Amino acid sequence: MLPLLLLLVPAAHGIARLAYTPALTKEPSLGGQKTASTFVLDQPRCVFDKYGNADIWLVVALDSAASTFNNTERPGTPETAFQNFPDPVHAYMTLNTTLINYPCSNPAGDITVLRVGSETSCAQDVTRPTCNGPLPGPGPYRVKFLALEGSVPVAETGWSLPITLKEAKSPDTISTTRSGHSAGMIAITTILSILFAILLAGLVAMLVFWSSDSCSGSSTFSKPESVTVRRYNTHHVYDQPAARL
Amino acid sequence: MAKNYDCVHILQGLLVFGNVVIGMCGIALTAECIYFVSNPHDLYPLLKATENSDIYTSAWIGIFVGLALFALSILGIIGVIKASRTLLLVYIILMLTTFAFEMASCITAATHQDSLTPGLFLKQMLERYQKSEPANNSDNVVTKTWDELMLQNHCCGVLGPSDWQEYTSAFRRMHSDADYPWPRMCCVLDAQGLPINLDGCKLGVSGYYNSNGCYDTISGPVNTHAWGVAWFGFAILCWTFCVLLGTMFYWSRIEY
């Protein structure tokens, strides 16, 4: 009898391990899926159906502390308060809700997500230890959902993959200069330089021409006002003494 | 001799025609550059804040070069018809000077267009948009210009809303990342100027925020400007080159 009782007692305290793993929202594609202090998870729909009486909590933990998280931790205590995260608290519990908010039906057109880190008003308020405050650093973090009936954990999902948030760089790292010059600018510069050089050479040749006077005779044309018509006398106009005889 | 006179007349005709075209192009260049200088587009404050106003220097040079081209083309026509060596020599030397100035203007405009990279505007936007203690009035103007730009063109940032996530900025120092992943102007706004769905905008749901960047809108007018000054000037200079070569040949054949 006693061994049977001993076997039964652990089963009564056993936490159901559900097959669901929390994940960042991939559908629809969101521009703010991960920011510097928030991230967006899919809601755990059709997961906790058998636990209609339970409160479903989200546990957010540092990647290094995920494996050591104790499911018997109670939410709303300083040991799981957001305001003490990440030091000394390595995992906090937030986003308390019941199954009503995670119905199984999937309404088309509605976006069903959880934004972790959206409440900024209570981030410093120690009277709200379950605040869904902005995450203090880039992480990495891991999350899981935990169903508590009263203060007894009854079901949990698996831990998510590590989530690393964005880290902002300084604008000084932006390079403002182009690596090279565009083809257009190079084309303009070279072509115009060549044309200008040819013209200068032509001018120099002209001036050399002018001062040397050497080629002024061959195949030139005259200026209009210097055209003269030389009149040739084609007929003799003098008297022929012999014709008078 | 008759054939020689025909060649002369053809050459004279060509040179006169060339000079007429140069004169008309000079007037067109002047008019275009006056338009650019007197009618700065809405993005002028952003260009001014980059402290690089070479494009306006090029336009100013273009005005005077255009007038010079017109005057010199008249001189050239007179010189060709009268076949006067002196006039044509003066014409050639002055045209070469004008050529040099216009060359400088074209190259400056083309180089300046190259220097307006997305990185330049991105850095300026991150450092000055919604700066809490504006150093001078130009920071306020930059903020105002960006707000209008994002509102009217339904765009966000230079390359996209991720600009505000990837880099720290004056905006980020004033507004927390969780409440303002990007400025409110990036959200789709209703008639009263409020976001139609603030949560949707913060999440980044397409349809509630503007996901494309403003760089294309910025570079459009700037490129038109640069094309107008640089490439039109280049075309005029190519034509002028041909006319000048013809004039030099004509000059060398005039009997002194």
Side-chain angles (χ1 to χ4, degrees):
Chain A
M1 203 57 180
L2 203 58
L4 198 60
L5 269 175
L6 282 172
L7 271 174
L8 280 173
V9 163
H13 285 277
I15 299 176
R17 179 65 187 267
L18 301 170
Y20 178 78
T21 314
L24 293 173
T25 304
K26 298 267 187 322
E27 189 62 43
S29 144
L30 297 176
Q33 187 204 53
K34 278 197 290 190
T35 70
S37 60
T38 68
F39 57 92
V40 182
L41 295 172
D42 279 325
Q43 287 182 358
R45 300 224 161 188
C46 288
V47 175
F48 291 99
D49 286 351
K50 296 205 280 274
Y51 304 95
N53 293 329
D55 289 329
I56 304 169
W57 291 84
L58 177 72
V59 180
V60 180
L62 293 174
D63 186 24
S64 49
S67 48
T68 55
F69 178 73
N70 192 341
N71 283 330
T72 57
E73 294 277 5
R74 297 175 59 173
T77 60
E79 286 78 29
T80 56
F82 167 76
Q83 287 77 18
N84 294 332
F85 181 80
D87 190 56
V89 167
H90 296 308
Y92 68 97
M93 298 171 78
T94 184
L95 277 177
N96 167 31
T97 185
T98 57
L99 189 62
I100 295 174
N101 286 327
Y102 299 146
C104 208
S105 63
N106 198 3
D110 276 5
I111 297 176
T112 55
V113 294
L114 291 175
R115 188 161 181 248
V116 179
S118 60
E119 284 187 86
T120 49
S121 53
C122 56
Q124 311 293 329
D125 186 357
V126 292
T127 62
R128 294 271 319 272
T130 57
C131 179
N132 180 20
L135 293 156
Y141 304 104
R142 294 175 82 162
V143 298
K144 74 171 181 182
F145 291 97
L146 188 61
L148 298 177
E149 279 181 4
S151 55
V152 175
V154 294
E156 63 171 356
T157 64
W159 284 104
S160 68
L161 293 171
I163 298 168
T164 310
L165 300 179
K166 291 189 176 180
E167 274 189 273
K169 303 190 282 260
S170 161
D172 296 332
T173 57
I174 301 172
S175 96
T176 55
T177 55
R178 218 173 147 130
S179 55
H181 291 287
S182 70
M185 183 254 171
I186 293 179
I188 286 184
T189 311
T190 48
I191 293 176
L192 288 183
S193 308
I194 292 172
L195 296 185
F196 191 60
I198 295 175
L199 287 177
L200 279 180
L203 179 68
V204 166
M206 259 172 55
L207 295 176
V208 164
F209 245 39
W210 194 19
S211 57
S212 72
D213 277 344
S214 57
C215 292
S216 55
S218 60
S219 73
T220 55
F221 57 85
S222 312
K223 294 197 276 192
E225 52 268 8
S226 68
V227 168
T228 54
V229 175
R230 275 190 268 160
R231 296 170 61 81
Y232 290 96
N233 291 329
T234 52
H235 302 288
H236 288 287
V237 295
Y238 305 119
D239 286 331
Q240 298 265 6
R244 283 203 183 155
L245 289 173
Chain B
M1 285 299 282
K3 191 168 170 225
N4 208 359
Y5 281 138
D6 278 343
C7 288
V8 164
H9 285 312
I10 290 172
L11 186 57
Q12 277 183 329
L14 283 176
L15 288 178
V16 167
F17 171 71
N19 277 302
V20 164
V21 172
I22 288 179
M24 293 194 307
C25 287
I27 298 281
L29 184 66
T30 302
E32 187 198 23
C33 291
I34 287 180
Y35 174 72
F36 278 136
V37 166
S38 67
N39 191 15
H41 49 75
D42 299 329
L43 301 170
Y44 176 62
L46 293 184
L47 286 179
K48 195 152 163 264
T50 63
E51 278 143 30
N52 188 355
S53 57
D54 284 348
I55 196 94
Y56 288 94
T57 313
S58 313
W60 274 108
I61 294 178
I63 294 177
F64 294 114
V65 161
L67 290 174
L69 282 177
F70 178 68
L72 285 177
S73 70
I74 295 179
L75 176 68
I77 292 174
I78 297 173
V80 163
I81 292 179
K82 287 175 84 168
S84 152
R85 271 200 158 191
T86 331
L87 273 184
L88 284 181
L89 187 62
V90 168
Y91 166 82
I92 287 174
I93 291 178
L94 288 180
M95 263 298 204
L96 278 179
T97 315
T98 314
F99 191 99
F101 272 103
E102 180 60 17
M103 196 167 97
S105 162
C106 289
I107 294 177
T108 310
T111 313
H112 186 247
Q113 183 195 8
D114 275 358
S115 76
L116 295 177
T117 55
L120 185 69
F121 289 111
L122 181 61
K123 196 161 174 182
Q124 181 200 79
M125 179 185 80
L126 291 170
E127 286 174 357
R128 297 208 193 179
Y129 180 73
Q130 293 208 12
K131 198 161 164 185
S132 56
E133 293 110 37
N136 48 27
N137 196 30
S138 96
D139 290 338
N140 285 338
V141 174
V142 168
T143 302
K144 203 154 138 312
T145 308
W146 269 106
D147 283 337
E148 275 171 25
L149 180 67
M150 293 198 283
L151 182 65
Q152 279 161 14
N153 296 294
H154 308 294
C155 58
C156 184
V158 173
L159 302 168
S162 56
D163 292 343
W164 304 104
Q165 291 292 315
E166 283 181 39
Y167 298 99
T168 60
S169 54
F171 174 79
R172 182 58 63 225
R173 282 192 276 280
M174 290 305 295
H175 300 99
S176 73
D177 172 79
D179 280 332
Y180 293 87
W182 30 76
R184 287 284 181 264
M185 280 299 173
C186 293
C187 301
V188 176
L189 303 176
D190 61 14
Q192 276 82 38
L194 298 170
I196 55 176
N197 188 331
L198 185 59
D199 287 325
C201 179
K202 287 194 213 172
L203 280 174
V205 182
S206 66
Y208 296 124
Y209 84 132
N210 302 319
S211 54
N212 48 313
C214 299
Y215 181 65
D216 289 335
T217 318
I218 295 173
S219 66
V222 170
N223 280 347
T224 314
H225 197 146
W227 271 78
V229 175
W231 288 98
F232 185 48
F234 176 74
I236 294 177
L237 287 183
C238 287
W239 180 264
T240 309
F241 169 77
C242 299
V243 171
L244 277 179
L245 273 187
T247 313
M248 285 183 188
F249 176 74
Y250 181 80
W251 185 91
S252 66
R253 293 285 179 253
I254 296 176
E255 193 182 82
Y256 188 71

